[in-house]
Amino acid sequence: MAAAAGLAALPCAAGAAAGLPGEVAGVAIPRTPLAGKAAGLARDACPDFLFNHAMRTYLFGALALRAQKTAYDAELGFVAAALHDLGLVPAYSTPRTSFEIDGANRAEAVVTSAGRSPDQGRRVWNAIVFHDMRGEYAAHQSAEARLVGEGAGADVVGYDPGVIDAKAVAEVLAAFPRLQFKQKFTALLVDQCRRKPTAQIGWLEGLCRATVPDAPRGSVERAIAAAPFSE
């Protein structure tokens, strides 16, 4: 589970790492330059409630995978967790792309600009894009994708006490308080739907349909009928 070493130094890595605990609930927070870069970007870009959610996502995901005895790359898992909701922040949001892909694109660039391989960049990209898809999809992705998906799910809709115990939860919440997360995160999602009602590809699509029901979404039936064939 140890993160890979040997990265070149990156701006703000040391400061970001210094502001985080070294370990929470028995889970070590990676201290590599790349992890520091991701934490620094998340801290600078996200409101406090969203940054804390990103950190809890990593910790809850790591706890879940530890209970399942599943090995993962801690550094890549941390980068993906730290940046998985970056696309919800207007400054990192494109006009027509889903928030998952917006965040994944930026995270992949962070990884590859640090000298990591294209494959490692894709692993982070996939972990973010699949983090709010149905479990059947995530089950066929990398361990890092499962970490982000299970961690985010535990923090947003609830954790399984048979997998993550109450003592660990209390330690995670003490380190990274929720800061009215339910109310503020819901408002952020509704804002995303109002700005880009037809862009979503995963869990947010239902909320966007309810928030902006009259947005033009096209029709599968019409698209098939319009195909340039005679039958």
Side-chain angles (χ1 to χ4, degrees):
M1 292 193 293
L7 295 174
L10 292 168
C12 78
L20 296 176
E23 182 179 294
V24 178
V27 175
I29 294 180
R31 314 299 277 185
T32 65
L34 176 55
K37 178 69 172 180
L41 174 56
R43 194 188 293 280
D44 290 345
C46 299
D48 289 346
F49 80 88
L50 193 62
F51 175 79
N52 281 9
H53 163 63
M55 296 299 101
R56 293 193 304 269
T57 291
Y58 175 71
L59 293 166
F60 284 145
L63 288 165
L65 264 61
R66 185 171 69 186
Q68 299 163 15
K69 296 181 170 55
T70 298
Y72 61 95
D73 185 310
E75 182 183 56
L76 295 184
F78 180 82
V79 172
L83 302 178
H84 79 278
D85 278 340
L86 189 64
L88 289 173
V89 179
Y92 291 89
S93 176
T94 62
R96 295 182 178 84
T97 305
S98 75
F99 84 91
E100 299 96 335
I101 292 176
D102 282 340
N105 287 344
R106 184 56 182 261
E108 182 180 34
V110 168
V111 173
T112 56
S113 70
R116 304 303 294 270
S117 70
D119 177 68
Q120 290 168 313
R122 282 192 295 270
R123 282 167 66 186
V124 168
W125 192 94
N126 281 329
I128 293 175
V129 168
F130 280 91
H131 84 267
D132 62 358
M133 300 290 187
R134 293 177 59 171
E136 298 94 311
Y137 298 112
H140 289 271
Q141 302 304 310
S142 67
E144 296 76 38
R146 290 171 55 192
L147 182 152
V148 180
E150 294 197 31
D155 196 48
V156 173
V157 297
Y159 63 95
D160 182 348
V163 176
I164 305 174
D165 65 59
K167 181 175 182 294
V169 172
E171 291 181 29
V172 171
L173 297 183
F176 297 102
R178 289 179 65 83
L179 305 177
Q180 297 181 300
F181 175 75
K182 290 182 179 181
Q183 174 187 341
K184 293 178 179 178
F185 189 60
T186 299
L188 190 64
L189 298 179
V190 169
D191 174 69
Q192 174 81 185
C193 288
R194 287 173 176 160
R195 289 189 289 110
K196 300 194 293 185
T198 63
Q200 309 315 318
I201 60 173
W203 173 68
L204 195 53
E205 184 179 8
L207 176 62
C208 291
R209 287 182 178 274
T211 302
V212 191
D214 297 328
R217 291 181 169 84
S219 161
V220 171
E221 183 181 13
R222 288 197 298 272
I224 294 172
F229 301 102
S230 59
E231 51 71 44

